[in-house]
Amino acid sequence: MKPERPRQLSTAEERRATVLRTAIGAFAARGYFGTTTTEVAKAAGISQAYVYRLFPNKESLFVAVVEHSFVQVRASLEQAAAEARGSAPEVVLSAMGESYARLISGSEGDSDLMLVQLQAQAASTSEPAVREAVRQGYARLVEYVRGASGGSERQVQEFFALGTLCHLIVSMGAGEVDAPWSRTLSAGIRHY
Protein backbone atom coordinates (compact mmCIF):
# COMPACT_ATOMS: atom_id res chain seq x y z
CA MET A 1 0.00 0.00 0.00
CA LYS A 2 1.37 3.40 -1.01
CA PRO A 3 1.76 6.08 1.63
CA GLU A 4 -0.89 8.74 1.31
CA ARG A 5 0.30 12.07 -0.04
CA PRO A 6 -0.96 15.23 1.56
CA ARG A 7 -3.98 16.56 -0.25
CA GLN A 8 -3.26 19.48 -2.55
CA LEU A 9 -5.58 22.43 -2.21
CA SER A 10 -7.40 23.46 -5.35
CA THR A 11 -6.97 26.98 -6.62
CA ALA A 12 -10.43 27.88 -5.29
CA GLU A 13 -9.58 26.45 -1.85
CA GLU A 14 -6.28 28.32 -1.84
CA ARG A 15 -8.02 31.54 -2.83
CA ARG A 16 -10.70 30.98 -0.21
CA ALA A 17 -8.01 30.53 2.46
CA THR A 18 -6.20 33.66 1.23
CA VAL A 19 -9.40 35.70 1.27
CA LEU A 20 -10.22 34.43 4.75
CA ARG A 21 -6.76 35.35 6.10
CA THR A 22 -6.98 38.76 4.47
CA ALA A 23 -10.52 39.33 5.75
CA ILE A 24 -9.46 38.52 9.31
CA GLY A 25 -7.04 41.44 9.30
CA ALA A 26 -9.50 43.79 7.63
CA PHE A 27 -12.43 42.93 9.90
CA ALA A 28 -10.20 43.04 12.99
CA ALA A 29 -9.09 46.56 12.10
CA ARG A 30 -12.37 48.07 10.91
CA GLY A 31 -15.16 45.74 12.00
CA TYR A 32 -18.04 44.29 10.08
CA PHE A 33 -19.62 47.60 9.17
CA GLY A 34 -16.38 49.41 8.34
CA THR A 35 -14.93 46.78 6.01
CA THR A 36 -15.90 46.37 2.37
CA THR A 37 -15.47 43.31 0.18
CA THR A 38 -13.64 45.60 -2.25
CA GLU A 39 -10.96 46.22 0.39
CA VAL A 40 -10.67 42.50 1.14
CA ALA A 41 -10.43 41.64 -2.56
CA LYS A 42 -7.75 44.26 -3.19
CA ALA A 43 -5.69 43.10 -0.20
CA ALA A 44 -6.03 39.46 -1.34
CA GLY A 45 -5.01 40.36 -4.87
CA ILE A 46 -8.20 39.20 -6.51
CA SER A 47 -11.31 40.80 -7.96
CA GLN A 48 -14.37 41.59 -5.89
CA ALA A 49 -16.36 39.33 -8.23
CA TYR A 50 -14.09 36.43 -7.30
CA VAL A 51 -14.63 37.15 -3.59
CA TYR A 52 -18.35 36.80 -4.28
CA ARG A 53 -17.75 33.48 -6.05
CA LEU A 54 -16.06 32.22 -2.89
CA PHE A 55 -18.41 33.88 -0.39
CA PRO A 56 -21.92 34.85 -1.53
CA ASN A 57 -21.90 38.12 0.43
CA LYS A 58 -20.01 40.11 3.06
CA GLU A 59 -22.08 38.56 5.81
CA SER A 60 -21.05 35.01 4.87
CA LEU A 61 -17.40 36.11 4.68
CA PHE A 62 -17.60 37.65 8.14
CA VAL A 63 -19.36 34.56 9.52
CA ALA A 64 -16.51 32.43 8.12
CA VAL A 65 -14.02 34.73 9.88
CA VAL A 66 -15.95 34.40 13.15
CA GLU A 67 -16.11 30.62 12.84
CA HIS A 68 -12.38 30.52 12.10
CA SER A 69 -11.67 32.53 15.25
CA PHE A 70 -13.61 30.04 17.36
CA VAL A 71 -11.63 27.18 15.78
CA GLN A 72 -8.40 28.93 16.79
CA VAL A 73 -9.60 29.40 20.36
CA ARG A 74 -10.71 25.78 20.61
CA ALA A 75 -7.35 24.52 19.31
CA SER A 76 -5.54 26.62 21.92
CA LEU A 77 -7.77 25.30 24.71
CA GLU A 78 -7.38 21.69 23.52
CA GLN A 79 -3.61 21.95 23.53
CA ALA A 80 -3.61 23.51 26.99
CA ALA A 81 -5.94 20.84 28.38
CA ALA A 82 -3.73 18.10 26.92
CA GLU A 83 -0.63 19.64 28.47
CA ALA A 84 -2.19 20.50 31.87
CA ARG A 85 -0.14 19.32 34.86
CA GLY A 86 -3.02 17.44 36.40
CA SER A 87 -6.64 16.58 35.84
CA ALA A 88 -8.38 18.56 38.58
CA PRO A 89 -10.84 21.08 37.10
CA GLU A 90 -8.93 24.00 38.61
CA VAL A 91 -5.66 22.84 37.03
CA VAL A 92 -7.17 22.28 33.58
CA LEU A 93 -9.10 25.55 33.64
CA SER A 94 -5.99 27.44 34.75
CA ALA A 95 -3.95 25.92 31.91
CA MET A 96 -6.66 26.81 29.40
CA GLY A 97 -6.89 30.33 30.81
CA GLU A 98 -3.12 30.85 30.49
CA SER A 99 -3.22 29.62 26.91
CA TYR A 100 -6.15 31.89 26.08
CA ALA A 101 -4.41 34.90 27.65
CA ARG A 102 -1.36 34.28 25.44
CA LEU A 103 -3.58 33.81 22.40
CA ILE A 104 -5.55 37.06 22.72
CA SER A 105 -2.50 39.11 23.63
CA GLY A 106 -0.92 38.26 20.30
CA SER A 107 2.13 36.66 21.89
CA GLU A 108 1.40 33.50 19.90
CA GLY A 109 1.46 35.32 16.60
CA ASP A 110 -2.18 36.30 16.04
CA SER A 111 -2.93 39.76 17.38
CA ASP A 112 -6.11 40.01 15.28
CA LEU A 113 -7.95 37.21 17.08
CA MET A 114 -9.16 39.26 20.02
CA LEU A 115 -10.20 42.14 17.76
CA VAL A 116 -12.20 39.79 15.53
CA GLN A 117 -13.96 38.40 18.60
CA LEU A 118 -14.81 41.90 19.83
CA GLN A 119 -15.99 42.97 16.36
CA ALA A 120 -18.15 39.83 16.12
CA GLN A 121 -19.76 40.53 19.47
CA ALA A 122 -20.49 44.11 18.41
CA ALA A 123 -21.97 43.05 15.05
CA SER A 124 -24.01 40.29 16.67
CA THR A 125 -26.25 42.88 18.31
CA SER A 126 -27.79 43.80 14.95
CA GLU A 127 -26.83 41.05 12.48
CA PRO A 128 -28.76 37.78 13.03
CA ALA A 129 -26.36 35.54 11.06
CA VAL A 130 -23.40 36.90 13.01
CA ARG A 131 -25.31 36.52 16.27
CA GLU A 132 -25.99 32.88 15.42
CA ALA A 133 -22.32 32.24 14.57
CA VAL A 134 -21.25 33.79 17.88
CA ARG A 135 -23.86 31.77 19.78
CA GLN A 136 -22.83 28.53 18.11
CA GLY A 137 -19.15 29.28 18.66
CA TYR A 138 -19.68 29.90 22.35
CA ALA A 139 -22.00 26.91 22.69
CA ARG A 140 -19.28 24.63 21.34
CA LEU A 141 -16.59 26.26 23.50
CA VAL A 142 -18.64 26.08 26.69
CA GLU A 143 -19.40 22.40 26.12
CA TYR A 144 -15.77 21.69 25.30
CA VAL A 145 -14.49 23.51 28.41
CA ARG A 146 -17.08 21.75 30.59
CA GLY A 147 -16.13 18.33 29.25
CA ALA A 148 -12.36 18.81 29.12
CA SER A 149 -12.09 20.36 32.56
CA GLY A 150 -14.78 18.47 34.42
CA GLY A 151 -15.55 21.81 36.05
CA SER A 152 -18.82 22.73 37.71
CA GLU A 153 -21.30 25.13 36.13
CA ARG A 154 -19.91 27.87 38.37
CA GLN A 155 -16.29 27.12 37.45
CA VAL A 156 -17.06 27.14 33.73
CA GLN A 157 -19.03 30.37 34.08
CA GLU A 158 -16.16 32.00 35.98
CA PHE A 159 -13.71 30.80 33.29
CA PHE A 160 -15.70 32.61 30.59
CA ALA A 161 -16.30 35.67 32.79
CA LEU A 162 -12.57 35.96 33.38
CA GLY A 163 -11.96 35.59 29.62
CA THR A 164 -14.33 38.49 29.00
CA LEU A 165 -12.52 40.58 31.59
CA CYS A 166 -9.24 39.70 29.87
CA HIS A 167 -10.67 41.05 26.60
CA LEU A 168 -11.54 44.31 28.31
CA ILE A 169 -8.12 44.66 29.95
CA VAL A 170 -6.17 43.86 26.80
CA SER A 171 -8.36 45.88 24.42
CA MET A 172 -8.05 49.11 26.38
CA GLY A 173 -4.45 48.55 27.44
CA ALA A 174 -5.32 48.68 31.14
CA GLY A 175 -2.06 46.92 31.97
CA GLU A 176 -0.17 49.95 30.67
CA VAL A 177 -1.92 52.30 33.09
CA ASP A 178 -0.70 52.62 36.67
CA ALA A 179 -3.88 53.71 38.42
CA PRO A 180 -6.11 52.24 41.14
CA TRP A 181 -8.90 51.35 38.69
CA SER A 182 -6.55 49.48 36.34
CA ARG A 183 -4.88 47.64 39.22
CA THR A 184 -8.33 46.61 40.47
CA LEU A 185 -9.39 45.23 37.09
CA SER A 186 -6.04 43.52 36.46
CA ALA A 187 -5.44 42.07 39.94
CA GLY A 188 -4.37 38.46 39.68
CA ILE A 189 -4.62 38.43 35.89
CA ARG A 190 -1.49 37.90 33.82
CA HIS A 191 -1.21 39.06 30.24
CA TYR A 192 1.65 38.48 27.88
Side-chain angles (χ1 to χ4, degrees):
M1 190 163 155
K2 283 198 238 178
E4 225 176 271
R5 285 190 305 187
R7 186 171 89 76
Q8 290 273 357
L9 291 178
S10 73
T11 302
E13 288 172 318
E14 288 172 355
R15 292 282 190 195
R16 186 176 169 87
T18 298
V19 170
L20 188 59
R21 279 192 308 273
T22 303
I24 289 167
F27 285 126
R30 291 179 299 287
Y32 176 71
F33 299 105
T35 303
T36 67
T37 55
T38 302
E39 293 166 334
V40 172
K42 185 176 179 182
I46 61 175
S47 70
Q48 184 179 21
Y50 198 73
V51 169
Y52 284 123
R53 285 178 61 200
L54 299 170
F55 299 93
N57 53 42
K58 182 171 96 169
E59 180 181 81
S60 67
L61 175 57
F62 188 68
V63 165
V65 165
V66 171
E67 290 169 347
H68 178 75
S69 76
F70 277 106
V71 167
Q72 287 181 285
V73 171
R74 168 88 181 245
S76 175
L77 298 181
E78 285 175 350
Q79 182 176 350
E83 296 172 357
R85 297 177 187 245
S87 60
E90 298 80 11
V91 172
V92 176
L93 289 167
S94 178
M96 289 192 290
E98 285 287 320
S99 179
Y100 186 69
R102 281 192 295 282
L103 186 65
I104 66 168
S105 70
S107 67
E108 293 190 350
D110 189 1
S111 59
D112 290 337
L113 178 68
M114 184 195 63
L115 291 173
V116 165
Q117 290 178 320
L118 292 171
Q119 299 288 9
Q121 290 168 7
S124 71
T125 62
S126 61
E127 298 298 317
V130 176
R131 182 180 311 120
E132 188 56 27
V134 171
R135 282 179 181 164
Q136 290 301 314
Y138 272 104
R140 286 188 294 271
L141 283 181
V142 168
E143 293 310 318
Y144 172 74
V145 169
R146 180 192 335 267
S149 71
S152 67
E153 293 288 315
R154 179 78 170 176
Q155 288 172 310
V156 172
Q157 181 189 47
E158 287 174 356
F159 175 81
F160 281 92
L162 189 55
T164 301
L165 180 57
C166 287
H167 273 186
L168 178 64
I169 291 167
V170 171
S171 68
M172 69 175 164
E176 300 162 13
V177 177
D178 185 22
W181 68 267
S182 65
R183 288 190 298 274
T184 298
L185 286 181
S186 301
I189 299 174
R190 181 176 20 181
H191 293 285
Y192 300 90

